[in-house]
């Protein structure tokens, strides 16, 4: 009997300890606008694992993909209000909150991915993240959405081929200005409306990284992918100041470590998936076209000078980093 009591007591203790291990002190609800196959979702899963391990189970990250917490602008507003704990979004909606971010949205401002990482992980990128703080948002890192390319219903070889083309863009004044210079008719539109609008002919074309094109099955409504690489698209990793301030300093430090590790992982996944998905898009019937980008560069060369809120010193620093 004593043995049975001891065994029962031991099992009860283990159950109690197990329950304590599973009970997180802090729950962070993280939203993003992409599919679960996108590298940003994969990186958030990695971040959740790292956060759990580094904090000894004190932090649990719950992930809400595919705009479950709202469109990107709504998630940013939620960060400000404290109704969203964490969000990873593209730069488009951020310009309404931190207009200076437009400098990294300029067409052809980055030479390659290494140049973009050097800038975003360095003084320029970190200073832009800090500009979010007065808005009630803590910027943690820059992840990768990818190099943006065109998808269209007809071939595009030069800017003249885009004259009058109804092209969906993000709600991003820098992108809108650039496509106007090329001759297109840009139409800012929330992402949730794009697939149906392409299918119904409301718009003719859109522009996005390969991972977005593939994960959203755009081969069903578009024929051509033109590899313009006209803009490098970052994803900003952000936390609500209201949530962040509830975390002890040591937990904040561990989460920053987790984000740094997840950043490297996210970029690796982005490169891997882009290469794999280009092949798959061809298999789905899309025509992948390369193009001489020189005429596009020439057409958009004056955007930096004509756009508002572009810091000349910051732009010079970005260009210098690529030399």
């Amino acid at each position: 009997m004593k043995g049975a009591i001891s065994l029962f007591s031991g099992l009860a203790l283990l159950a109690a300890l197990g329950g304590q291990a599973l009970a997180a002190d802090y729950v962070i609800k993280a939203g993003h606008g992409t599919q679960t196959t996108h590298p940003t979702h994969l990186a958030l899963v990695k971040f959740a694992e790292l956060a759990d391990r580094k904090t000894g189970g004190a932090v649990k990250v719950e992930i809400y993909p595919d705009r479950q917490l709202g469109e990107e602008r709504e998630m940013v507003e939620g960060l400000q209000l404290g109704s969203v704990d964490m969000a990873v979004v593209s730069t488009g909606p951020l310009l309404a909150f931190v207009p200076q971010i437009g400098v990294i949205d300029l067409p052809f401002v980055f030479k390659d991915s290494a140049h973009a990482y050097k800038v975003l992980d360095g003084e320029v990128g970190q200073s832009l993240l800090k500009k979010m703080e007065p808005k009630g948002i803590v910027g943690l890192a820059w992840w990768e959405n990818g190099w943006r390319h065109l998808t269209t219903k007809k071939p595009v070889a030069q800017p003249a081929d885009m004259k009058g083309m109804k092209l969906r863009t993000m709600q991003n004044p820098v992108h809108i200005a650039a496509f106007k210079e090329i001759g297109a008719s840009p139409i800012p539109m929330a992402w949730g409306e794009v697939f149906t609008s392409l299918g119904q002919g409301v718009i003719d074309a859109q522009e996005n990284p390969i991972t977005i094109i593939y994960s959203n099955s755009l081969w069903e409504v578009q024929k051509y992918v033109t590899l313009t690489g006209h803009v490098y698209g970052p994803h900003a990793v952000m936390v609500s100041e209201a949530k962040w301030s509830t975390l002890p300093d040591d937990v904040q430090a561990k989460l920053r470590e987790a984000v740094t590790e997840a950043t490297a992982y996210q970029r690796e996944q982005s490169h891997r998936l882009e290469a794999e998905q280009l092949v798959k898009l061809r298999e789905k019937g899309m025509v992948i076209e390369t193009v001489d980008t020189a005429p596009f560069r020439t057409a958009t060369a004056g955007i930096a000078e004509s756009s508002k809120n572009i810091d000349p010193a910051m732009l010079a620093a970005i260009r210098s980093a690529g030399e």
Side-chain angles (χ1 to χ4, degrees):
M1 177 64 73
K2 287 183 178 180
I5 293 173
S6 297
L7 177 60
F8 179 81
S9 300
L11 290 172
L13 178 60
L14 285 172
L17 290 173
Q20 290 174 4
L22 292 173
D25 296 326
Y26 307 98
V27 176
I28 297 175
K29 296 183 178 182
H32 66 89
T34 61
Q35 304 283 344
T36 55
T37 54
H38 191 276
T40 284
H41 181 81
L42 301 180
L44 274 172
V45 173
K46 172 66 74 174
F47 171 71
E49 295 169 354
L50 291 166
D52 178 74
R53 186 171 76 241
K54 289 178 178 291
T55 65
V59 174
K60 178 183 179 183
V61 178
E62 297 177 353
I63 304 168
Y64 296 84
D66 197 17
R67 310 185 312 280
Q68 289 182 31
L69 298 185
E71 294 287 351
E72 288 193 326
R73 176 162 182 147
E74 292 171 336
M75 283 190 279
V76 178
E77 292 170 344
L79 292 174
Q80 290 186 301
L81 296 171
S83 58
V84 174
D85 297 335
M86 182 176 183
V88 186
V89 307
S90 55
T91 53
L94 290 179
L95 270 66
F97 304 88
V98 183
Q100 297 90 337
I101 286 175
V103 71
I104 59 176
D105 276 334
L106 289 169
F108 305 107
V109 74
F110 294 115
K111 291 171 57 179
D112 51 30
S113 295
H115 180 200
Y117 300 159
K118 184 178 180 181
V119 169
L120 295 174
D121 296 342
E123 184 177 345
V124 169
Q126 298 311 299
S127 68
L128 289 173
L129 291 177
K130 286 187 179 298
K131 291 183 184 299
M132 299 177 185
E133 292 178 3
K135 304 296 182 179
I137 298 170
V138 178
L140 294 178
W142 295 104
W143 287 358
E144 179 167 278
N145 195 20
W147 292 91
R148 303 182 76 88
H149 306 289
L150 293 171
T151 70
T152 57
K153 296 177 181 179
K154 66 177 186 178
V156 171
Q158 57 189 344
D161 296 330
M162 297 183 67
K163 185 174 178 59
M165 183 179 287
K166 293 179 291 183
L167 171 77
R168 179 268 175 180
T169 69
M170 291 191 292
Q171 293 164 321
N172 184 321
V174 176
H175 290 189
I176 292 168
F179 282 109
K180 283 182 177 178
E181 289 297 316
I182 288 173
S185 297
I187 300 174
M189 182 182 292
W191 180 245
E193 304 171 22
V194 174
F195 187 92
T196 300
S197 296
L198 286 168
Q200 294 178 346
V202 175
I203 51 176
D204 306 313
Q206 67 86 52
E207 47 87 47
N208 253 306
I210 295 301
T211 49
I212 295 292
I213 295 167
Y214 180 81
S215 63
N216 287 274
S217 305
L218 291 191
W219 61 82
E220 296 180 7
V221 289
Q222 298 273 263
K223 179 65 175 178
Y224 295 91
V225 178
T226 305
L227 300 176
T228 49
H230 48 275
V231 169
Y232 175 81
H235 264 170
V237 184
M238 303 170 293
V239 180
S240 169
E241 170 60 31
K243 185 68 176 184
W244 191 249
S245 63
T246 68
L247 305 176
D249 290 347
D250 61 326
V251 172
Q252 291 182 6
K254 294 297 183 183
L255 291 181
R256 286 190 181 276
E257 289 178 12
V259 167
T260 298
E261 292 181 34
T263 298
Y265 175 81
Q266 198 269 354
R267 291 170 178 172
E268 290 170 2
Q269 297 306 304
S270 180
H271 286 191
R272 176 183 67 83
L273 287 170
E274 179 171 335
E276 292 176 1
Q277 290 171 357
L278 263 175
V279 174
K280 291 179 180 179
L281 287 173
R282 285 192 179 94
E283 293 173 350
K284 295 292 185 180
M286 294 195 86
V287 178
I288 312 297
E289 301 274 16
T290 56
V291 65
D292 179 9
T293 61
F296 294 88
R297 292 172 184 270
T298 299
T300 58
I303 294 298
E305 287 69 29
S306 62
S307 297
K308 296 179 180 179
N309 302 305
I310 301 297
D311 182 343
M314 195 171 282
L315 178 58
I318 292 173
R319 289 172 171 164
S320 176
E323 295 175 354

